[in-house]
Structures are given as structure tokens and as C-alpha cells.
């Protein structure tokens, strides 16, 4: 059985040392690199074979969310676990859109950390129960809102294309570059998408689109 190759990225040396000690006790896990910022984490992933990357959300130079986006774009097979002190829903939704499979708070038990790493290596996802309820509440709220408004999916092919990139967590600038259009045009598309879906922001649009299979990741 091949070991699970793990990258630890956190700007606090003490946190990295603690995680390293926990994982060093597991025979099926191998630490292949450590990074103190998102830029270094991306570099290691591109240079080495990494199965699972533990990314802190708040890191200097490149934060964990942007590092997650880049890693998933360059090496989609890498499983991302966000390890953070934040339980705020905006971080959760941003990381889901960026491609993270798991979201762990730093008060997680060593056993749960190891269990989640093994699960993510198998392609499984994990969100703490108290945060999962937020996801379901948001999806339910959006669903009811669409039903009440009598929404019909009349998005144009281009709007669906833009929405696909939004669901992946791409910025307006990145979408513009990929579609060879201006950022202003992207904003115009988003304005019409929000109106048609009867949502208020990118997160709501992405959640609704994924739930209703308008787009997929």
C-alpha cells in the first residue's frame, strides 16, 4: 500500500510542527513538504507528487483560498483540506467553490485530522456538522426563493459558461481572460445571471447552479 503523500502549509511554525508530529505516527502517511505561505505551497505541489494538501486559510503572499484555486487548476487530482480557526460561512463557501474537499477547524482532534486525510485521499469530502447545517440552510433558502419567484432556467449558453467559472471560484479577471472578453462584459453577464436566478451574489448563484445541475465541477 502506497503512503498518502501530504503537504502541510501554515504560516505558524508551531502548528506545522504539531501536525507533523501527529502524522508521523501514521504508517500510511508521508509528509512530502511544508510551506509557510500559499506561494510556497503551490511551488511544492507543482514540483512534487502530493496526494493531499493541508492549507491554512490566512497565509501571507498567497492565501489558502487562492492557493487552493491554483492547485486545483494545475493539479486537479490533489485533495485539498482547509485547516483554519475560522468557522465563518463565507470562508466555507469560498473554499468549496475553490475546490476544497474538506474544511477542518484547528480545534479538531488528531484522530479526526488523520481520518479526514485518509478520506480526502479516497476522494471523500468532509465539513463539520455545525457548518454543514449552514450549507443545507443556504441551499434550502435559495430553492424556496426560486420556487416563489417562478424561476425558469433561461440562461444563455454564454451565461452558463460564465456561471461554470464562477462555481469554480474564478475571479472576474480570470473569467475575462479565459473567454477573451472584458471584465465589464463579465460583470454584465453576472448582473443578468443574478436577475434570472433571483440571487444576490456569486456564492448564492454558484450554490443554486450546482444544486440544480446547471453547471458541474
Amino acid at each position: 500500500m502506497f503512503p498518502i503523500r501530504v503537504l502541510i502549509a501554515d504560516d505558524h511554525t508551531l502548528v506545522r510542527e504539531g501536525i507533523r508530529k501527529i502524522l508521523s505516527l501514521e504508517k500510511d502517511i508521508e509528509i512530502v513538504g511544508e510551506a509557510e505561505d500559499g506561494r510556497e505551497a503551490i511551488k511544492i505541489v507543482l514540483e512534487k507528487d502530493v496526494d493531499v494538501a493541508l492549507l491554512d486559510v490566512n497565509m501571507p503572499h498567497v492565501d489558502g483560498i487562492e492557493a487552493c484555486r491554483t492547485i486545483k487548476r494545475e493539479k486537479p487530482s490533489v485533495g485539498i483540506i482547509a485547516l483554519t480557526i475560522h468557522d465563518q460561512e463565507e470562508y466555507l463557501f469560498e473554499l468549496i467553490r475553490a475546490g476544497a474537499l474538506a474544511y477542518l477547524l484547528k480545534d479538531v482532534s488528531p484522530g479526526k485530522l488523520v481520518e479526514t486525510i485518509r478520506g480526502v485521499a479516497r476522494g471523500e469530502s468532509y465539513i463539520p456538522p455545525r457548518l454543514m447545517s449552514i450549507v443545507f440552510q443556504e441551499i434550502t433558502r435559495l430553492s424556496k426563493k426560486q420556487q416563489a419567484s417562478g424561476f425558469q432556467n433561461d440562461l444563455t449558453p454564454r451565461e452558463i459558461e460564465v456561471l461554470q467559472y464562477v462555481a469554480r471560484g474564478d475571479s472576474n479577471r480570470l473569467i475575462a481572460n479565459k473567454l477573451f472578453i472584458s471584465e465589464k462584459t463579465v460583470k454584465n453577464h453576472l448582473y443578468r445571471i443574478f436577475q434570472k436566478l433571483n440571487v444576490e451574489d456569486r456564492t448564492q448563484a454558484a450554490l443554486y447552479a450546482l444544486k440544480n445541475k446547471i453547471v458541474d465541477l
Side-chain angles (χ1 to χ4, degrees), residues 201-213:
D201 56 37
R202 301 166 74 94
T203 299
Q204 291 182 359
L207 284 172
Y208 182 83
L210 292 169
K211 176 181 181 292
N212 291 279
K213 302 186 188 314

Side-chain angles (χ1 to χ4, degrees), residues 8-217:
I8 303 170
D10 195 292
D11 60 333
H12 294 95
T13 303
L14 191 61
V15 173
R16 295 199 308 273
E17 289 181 353
I19 295 174
R20 187 194 319 129
K21 288 180 180 178
I22 291 170
L23 300 185
S24 66
L25 300 174
E26 306 301 322
K27 294 181 179 180
D28 61 337
I29 295 177
E30 175 189 356
I31 299 171
V32 295
E34 294 184 30
E36 59 184 20
D37 60 56
R39 185 183 301 163
E40 187 178 1
I42 294 168
K43 184 174 183 291
I44 292 173
V45 168
L46 294 179
E47 293 177 348
K48 297 185 177 182
D49 290 328
V50 176
D51 299 310
V52 176
L54 288 170
L55 302 180
D56 182 28
V57 173
N58 291 315
M59 292 187 291
H61 305 304
V62 176
D63 65 25
I65 296 173
E66 188 57 39
C68 180
R69 289 193 188 104
T70 302
I71 290 171
K72 294 303 291 184
R73 183 172 64 248
E74 300 297 328
K75 284 195 172 181
S77 63
V78 177
I80 305 293
I81 299 175
L83 191 60
T84 175
I85 61 173
H86 300 285
D87 61 358
Q88 297 167 323
E89 59 189 78
E90 59 265 29
Y91 285 104
L92 173 62
F93 293 140
E94 282 290 326
L95 284 157
I96 289 173
R97 294 206 310 270
L101 280 179
Y103 188 98
L104 290 178
L105 302 180
K106 287 187 177 179
D107 61 1
V108 66
S109 68
K112 190 63 185 178
L113 172 62
V114 172
E115 178 187 338
T116 303
I117 289 173
R118 289 175 179 146
V120 167
R122 294 191 297 266
E124 300 170 3
S125 60
Y126 176 79
I127 296 174
R130 72 175 184 263
L131 292 178
M132 181 60 80
S133 63
I134 295 173
V135 174
F136 281 112
Q137 287 171 10
E138 180 68 4
I139 290 175
T140 300
R141 188 186 71 79
L142 288 175
S143 180
K144 289 180 178 178
K145 187 174 181 181
Q146 308 308 330
Q147 291 173 7
S149 66
F151 164 73
Q152 297 294 323
N153 180 13
D154 58 350
L155 297 175
T156 66
R158 175 62 93 183
E159 288 167 351
I160 291 175
E161 195 172 16
V162 170
L163 190 54
Q164 177 82 51
Y165 288 124
V166 169
R168 291 175 181 172
D170 289 350
S171 66
N172 286 357
R173 177 175 295 180
L174 190 56
I175 295 172
N177 290 338
K178 288 180 176 179
L179 297 179
F180 302 100
I181 58 179
S182 68
E183 284 189 62
K184 182 178 180 181
T185 301
V186 173
K187 290 178 181 178
N188 289 338
H189 283 311
L190 288 175
Y191 176 76
R192 290 191 292 271
I193 289 169
F194 294 166
Q195 282 191 317
K196 291 180 179 181
L197 299 185
N198 194 23
V199 297
E200 298 174 359
D201 56 37
R202 301 166 74 94
T203 299
Q204 291 182 359
L207 284 172
Y208 182 83
L210 292 169
K211 176 181 181 292
N212 291 279
K213 302 186 188 314
I214 299 173
V215 301
D216 60 68
L217 297 179

